[in-house]
């Protein structure tokens, strides 16, 4: 495979625009992202998807039974089994997240303090996806925005 | 399920920190993200993962056969079948992307011009995931960063 350097083409990636997870129990799962994670839904197609604003991009929840069908303008996709996403939270907000999750009866599956700094809390969404609340310092990234 | 407003807890999401896809052909797929998409790998664990920097977050490629095993500090996850990601590109770079993909013999599966503005190019990674190169205007988002 030939390689073209990014500079040759001016074809750079600015960042991730769409992060996706899948849920066969779409509405139950969407309520989790709205009520527990606190994301703002901005688009719904019954039985197909719920889309959320999330920082500089969007977080998309799909029923894979619908999106894996061929046809339409957009190429089919749709994974099964537990995916993973990490959302960025402020270090000063971690205790508030613990309290929030406890108040909402969402069990914390694991907490990790990373060797290079930063901390993560892990929960499961109702579809079984692994959802991490992490301080950006775990990747050496300063607070975004 | 009780609902706690975001303001109550100070527990806000800043954005997506980790976006993940899965590839059983991990190394082949990682080469695609490095050479075609142009992302910078910064962490590799042979047969388990390749991680890439991507704008204000990270893009993580995992072999689900490894990450779906229990044990270790991090909860298991690992989806099968075609996932989806969209990377954000400048509108002025779309033609350069078409040329780059053609030069690298990566077929464009679809191109979509969205009714609210913005354009998307869709390709497949070697694991079958649907990879979109999209201008942030498709979601009404100004250029990030």
């Amino acid at each position: 495979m030939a390689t073209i350097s990014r500079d040759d083409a001016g074809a750079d990636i600015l960042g991730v625009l769409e992060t996706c997870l899948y849920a066969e129990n779409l509405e139950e799962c969407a309520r989790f992202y709205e009520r527990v994670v606190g994301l703002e839904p901005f688009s719904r197609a019954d039985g197909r998807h719920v889309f959320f604003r999330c920082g500089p991009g969007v977080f998309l929840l799909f029923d894979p039974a619908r999106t894996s069908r061929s046809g339409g303008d957009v190429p089919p996709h749709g994974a099964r089994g537990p995916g993973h996403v990490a959302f960025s939270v402020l270090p000063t907000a971690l205790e508030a997240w613990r309290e929030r999750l406890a108040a909402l009866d969402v069990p914390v599956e694991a907490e990790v303090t990373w060797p290079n700094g930063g901390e993560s809390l892990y929960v499961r969404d109702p579809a079984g996806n692994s959802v991490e609340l992490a301080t950006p310092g775990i990747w050496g990234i300063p607070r975004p925005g």
Side-chain angles (χ1 to χ4, degrees), chain A residues 31-42:
Chain A
R31 279 194 298 277
F32 171 90
Y33 287 98
E34 186 171 3
R35 295 181 187 176
V36 178
V37 183
L39 300 181
E40 178 200 351
F42 71 93

Side-chain angles (χ1 to χ4, degrees), chain A:
Chain A
M1 186 189 289
T3 300
I4 296 178
S5 85
R6 282 177 286 178
D7 293 340
D8 290 343
D12 284 321
I13 297 295
L14 306 175
V16 171
L17 183 63
E18 301 173 5
T19 298
C20 306
L21 286 179
Y22 299 93
E24 294 180 61
N25 51 347
L26 180 66
E27 283 303 322
E28 179 188 9
C29 207
R31 279 194 298 277
F32 171 90
Y33 287 98
E34 186 171 3
R35 295 181 187 176
V36 178
V37 183
L39 300 181
E40 178 200 351
F42 71 93
S43 171
R44 288 177 187 270
D46 271 356
R48 182 184 187 274
H49 72 240
V50 181
F51 295 168
F52 300 88
R53 299 275 172 201
C54 190
V58 293
F59 172 71
L60 311 181
L61 197 62
F62 292 106
D63 184 340
R66 287 285 294 277
T67 53
S68 57
R69 290 184 202 158
S70 296
D73 293 337
V74 174
H77 59 92
R80 311 277 178 151
H84 177 60
V85 67
F87 296 107
S88 188
V89 302
L90 286 179
T92 51
L94 276 178
E95 188 50 33
W97 274 105
R98 286 186 194 94
E99 290 169 9
R100 177 183 176 83
L101 294 168
L104 294 172
D105 291 325
V106 176
V108 174
E109 185 177 3
E111 288 204 30
V112 177
T113 300
W114 297 96
N116 293 331
E119 288 182 78
S120 299
L121 304 179
Y122 293 84
V123 297
R124 293 277 168 185
D125 76 14
N129 296 299
S130 171
V131 177
E132 182 180 351
L133 301 164
T135 62
I138 69 171
W139 297 116
I141 296 168
R143 177 186 172 167

